[in-house]
């Protein structure tokens, strides 16, 4: 299979032919149709992300969308032909997604929503995780909390400061119990950062 390989930090990617992986127990072999590229991917490539350092030489890339081509032993949630997406590798010795195929732990995947293209689905996993960690894990938001500074639906449709910040607002809309008044975008972002002490990347 074809893959983009990096041999040293800050080096260019090299298109390389390598053996297609075989799924182990609990893994799924994915034919990758799209790979998301995020700012953290470049930090990993230039060696300034020590908590996510790859074992070089490496195939980088964290997000993917594709089709299940084979399933390993004890995988019951997916079958051949399923369209999936996920945050699947590219760090700490795990093969990344800048390749034609990858064998991924089934727990790192989900069935791709039918209303998303492969490219759209590949853009979701890391930013979704970033938003979830900021809002749920760090800010400890619970369903009972009422957010009076949520935007109207049409604001969410056009809000474009960053994907993680946009998804934070979407999560907050899910937890909302009362309809909020309208605020402009910057006021919303400032309130989220100030009141919830979130770091929006």
């Amino acid at each position: 299979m074809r893959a983009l390989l990096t041999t040293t930090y800050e080096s260019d990617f090299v298109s390389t032919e390598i053996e297609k992986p075989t799924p182990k127990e609990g893994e799924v072999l994915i034919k990758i149709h799209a790979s998301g590229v995020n700012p953290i991917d470049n930090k990993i490539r230039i060696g300034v992300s020590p908590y996510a350092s790859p074992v070089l030489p490496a195939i980088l890339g964290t997000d993917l969308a594709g089709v299940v081509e084979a399933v390993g032993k004890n995988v019951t949630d997916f079958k051949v032909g399923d369209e999936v997406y996920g945050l699947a590798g590219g760090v700490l010795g795990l093969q990344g997604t800048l390749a034609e195929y990858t064998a991924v732990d089934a727990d790192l995947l989900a069935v791709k929503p039918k209303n998303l293209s492969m490219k759209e689905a590949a853009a979701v996993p890391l930013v979704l995780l970033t938003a979830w960690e900021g809002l749920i894990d760090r800010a400890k938001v619970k369903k009972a909390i009422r957010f009076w500074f949520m935007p109207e639906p049409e604001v969410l449709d056009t809000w474009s400061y960053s994907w993680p910040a946009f998804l934070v607002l979407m999560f907050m809309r899910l937890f909302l119990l009362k309809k909020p008044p309208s605020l402009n975008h910057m006021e919303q972002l400032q309130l989220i950062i100030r009141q919830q002490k979130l770091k929006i990347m």
Side-chain angles (χ1 to χ4, degrees):
M1 72 170 186
R2 195 162 51 97
L4 294 178
L5 192 72
T6 186
T7 56
T8 61
Y9 291 119
E10 299 188 46
S11 68
D12 292 335
F13 291 109
V14 178
S15 182
T16 308
E17 287 291 327
I18 62 171
E19 187 176 339
K20 182 165 77 171
T22 301
K24 301 179 179 122
E25 182 174 353
E27 289 185 338
V28 176
L29 178 66
I30 306 298
K31 165 85 168 133
I32 299 172
H33 286 236
S35 178
V37 178
N38 301 284
I40 188 65
D41 294 310
N42 190 54
K43 289 181 180 180
I44 292 168
R45 186 186 71 80
I46 63 175
V48 296
S49 184
Y51 59 88
S53 296
V55 176
L56 297 176
I59 299 167
L60 302 182
T62 54
D63 294 348
L64 67 76
V67 177
V68 174
E69 187 160 293
V71 295
K73 187 178 177 184
N74 295 326
V75 173
T76 58
D77 292 336
F78 303 102
K79 64 185 184 308
V80 172
D82 283 348
E83 293 188 343
V84 296
Y85 71 130
L87 180 62
V91 297
L92 305 174
L94 296 174
Q95 181 200 310
T97 62
L98 299 178
E100 290 182 290
Y101 294 89
T102 187
V104 178
D105 185 324
D107 289 340
L108 300 177
L109 298 170
V111 174
K112 181 184 77 64
K114 290 184 177 15
N115 63 337
L116 293 181
S117 70
M118 288 291 185
K119 287 180 181 178
E120 290 167 338
V124 170
L126 184 62
V127 293
L128 184 67
L129 177 65
T130 302
W132 183 269
E133 285 184 347
L135 189 65
I136 308 304
D137 295 344
R138 293 187 186 190
K140 307 294 184 198
V141 170
K142 304 284 189 229
K143 188 167 184 167
I145 293 176
R146 298 173 188 224
F147 291 99
W148 55 268
F149 51 90
M150 281 298 301
E152 297 298 321
E154 60 273 11
V155 173
L156 287 176
D157 291 339
T158 59
W159 201 67
S160 60
Y161 287 102
S162 75
W163 269 106
F166 172 80
L167 289 170
V168 163
L169 293 177
M170 293 297 284
F171 283 136
M172 293 170 69
R173 169 94 50 211
L174 289 175
F175 297 138
L176 187 65
L177 299 180
K178 287 188 175 180
K179 184 178 176 182
S182 295
L183 293 174
N184 73 41
H185 301 141
M186 193 50 70
E187 287 175 321
Q188 294 166 26
L189 184 58
Q190 289 169 347
L191 281 168
I192 291 168
I193 293 169
R194 194 168 57 244
Q195 294 186 5
Q196 298 301 328
K197 296 182 174 62
L198 295 180
K199 181 181 179 185
I200 306 296
M201 295 187 289

